Amino acid sequence: MRAKEIGFDQAYILGCRLDLVDMEQSLSIIKRFVEERTPHQVVTANAEMVYAASRQKPLRDIINRAHLVTLDGAGVVWAARFLGHRARERVTGIDLTLALAELASKLRWRLYLLGAKPGVAEEATARMVARFPGLEIVGTHHGYFQQQETAEVVREIKEAKPDLLLVALGAPYQEFWINRHLAELGVPVALGIGGSLDVLSGQVKRAPKLFIRLNLEWLYRLVTEPRRWRRQLALPRFVFAVWRQKLGLFRLEP
């Protein structure tokens, strides 16, 4: 079951379906997914990912098949509103991860953390368990495994039997990875969380609350990580493409 089938509205931005849900609604939908016990993929889509998907049909297809796609970032919230939709708020990967960890500690859900450099997921586990007493993280694995090791990683996750699989392999690779192995894993919910484990482990500092509140988290990351400037070039291109969609001039890449 997808968010649309439950009754939530969607916006199509540059050919990508995004669900117009806030944090509380996202948690309610994911709770329902867990209770269904069948595999579901959750995508947190920001402007960079949506723009890339508009030019890459395989990624666009994964987003449009996902069971829940949240508005991850001020850019996609702006785009949804600009195109005439009622977008409540952004639901980012890091915020959703924290909210799910808190909910999991109360509902006794089992989590598995996959991704980041060796040792990062373990440190994130220690910090999350300390922050949310009762949270059960049943396994971790770094994201630097080789292709030939994938079958073993999948086997470990299946044996751990988590309710939630949080995958920090970087977008959009993590979305392709989840899509490829979702049915085999059999995990009720698999969610791509980008660099969230680096933040949760303390390896990377998140933007100050003022930047977050003003929707300028992207600017803080650019200042603190100048090497990201090439990636940030997608933002003005995204805005221009959304303007073209508004005017009926946008055409998807084949």
Side-chain angles (χ1 to χ4, degrees):
M1 181 172 290
R2 290 171 170 79
K4 181 178 181 179
E5 297 166 3
I6 300 174
F8 293 99
D9 293 333
Q10 288 78 44
Y12 276 85
I13 301 174
L14 307 187
C16 297
R17 189 203 89 246
L18 286 85
D19 297 304
L20 303 177
V21 294
D22 57 23
M23 179 63 75
E24 182 179 353
Q25 292 167 333
S26 298
L27 294 175
S28 175
I29 293 168
I30 292 173
K31 181 176 182 291
R32 185 163 179 169
F33 289 166
V34 172
E35 292 170 349
E36 287 180 2
R37 306 310 300 171
T38 54
H40 299 81
Q41 179 168 7
V42 176
V43 174
T44 59
N46 60 16
E48 182 181 346
M49 183 189 293
V50 171
Y51 181 74
S54 74
R55 302 171 63 83
Q56 302 172 30
K57 188 176 185 298
L59 176 57
R60 189 163 68 245
D61 289 344
I62 287 176
I63 292 174
N64 289 338
R65 286 198 304 265
H67 299 83
L68 173 65
V69 184
T70 70
L71 303 172
D72 182 347
V76 283
V77 171
W78 165 82
R81 292 172 178 169
F82 182 69
L83 295 172
H85 301 282
R86 294 184 61 185
R88 295 172 176 83
E89 65 180 6
R90 62 181 192 148
V91 180
T92 68
I94 181 65
D95 291 327
L96 186 55
T97 297
L98 289 169
L100 284 171
E102 182 177 12
L103 184 60
S105 68
K106 298 174 181 177
L107 298 181
R108 310 303 299 176
W109 290 347
R110 297 156 58 90
L111 272 63
Y112 192 106
L113 309 183
L114 172 65
K117 295 180 180 179
V120 172
E122 289 79 2
E123 180 59 31
T125 294
R127 291 180 176 230
M128 291 170 70
V129 169
R131 181 171 179 177
F132 304 109
L135 179 63
E136 185 176 7
I137 298 179
V138 295
T140 65
H141 198 289
H142 63 80
Y144 285 68
F145 54 91
Q146 301 299 314
Q147 182 63 37
Q148 61 269 24
E149 300 174 293
T150 299
E152 177 62 20
V153 172
V154 170
R155 185 189 65 78
E156 289 180 12
I157 296 171
K158 288 174 64 176
E159 290 184 354
K161 297 181 179 179
D163 299 295
L164 300 176
L165 171 62
L166 306 183
V167 182
L169 297 177
Y173 178 77
Q174 63 196 14
E175 280 67 41
F176 283 101
W177 194 91
I178 291 171
N179 179 74
R180 187 178 304 117
H181 300 290
L182 184 64
E184 182 183 4
L185 287 164
V187 178
V189 176
L191 166 67
I193 61 172
S196 296
L197 292 184
D198 292 326
V199 176
L200 294 171
S201 67
Q203 298 291 316
V204 173
K205 288 186 177 181
R206 194 177 182 187
K209 292 182 179 180
L210 178 61
F211 280 79
I212 297 172
R213 187 164 58 250
L214 295 176
N215 291 323
L216 293 174
E217 198 165 2
W218 63 270
L219 178 60
Y220 177 84
R221 295 183 67 184
L222 179 60
V223 171
T224 56
E225 301 177 63
R227 66 181 183 278
R228 295 176 59 88
W229 72 269
R230 290 185 183 277
R231 294 178 56 181
Q232 297 291 353
L233 291 176
L235 297 178
R237 293 168 180 165
F238 170 80
V239 171
F240 181 64
V242 172
W243 270 95
R244 287 174 57 83
Q245 179 176 337
K246 179 80 169 183
L247 297 173
L249 301 175
F250 176 74
R251 297 292 181 269
L252 285 171
E253 295 287 340

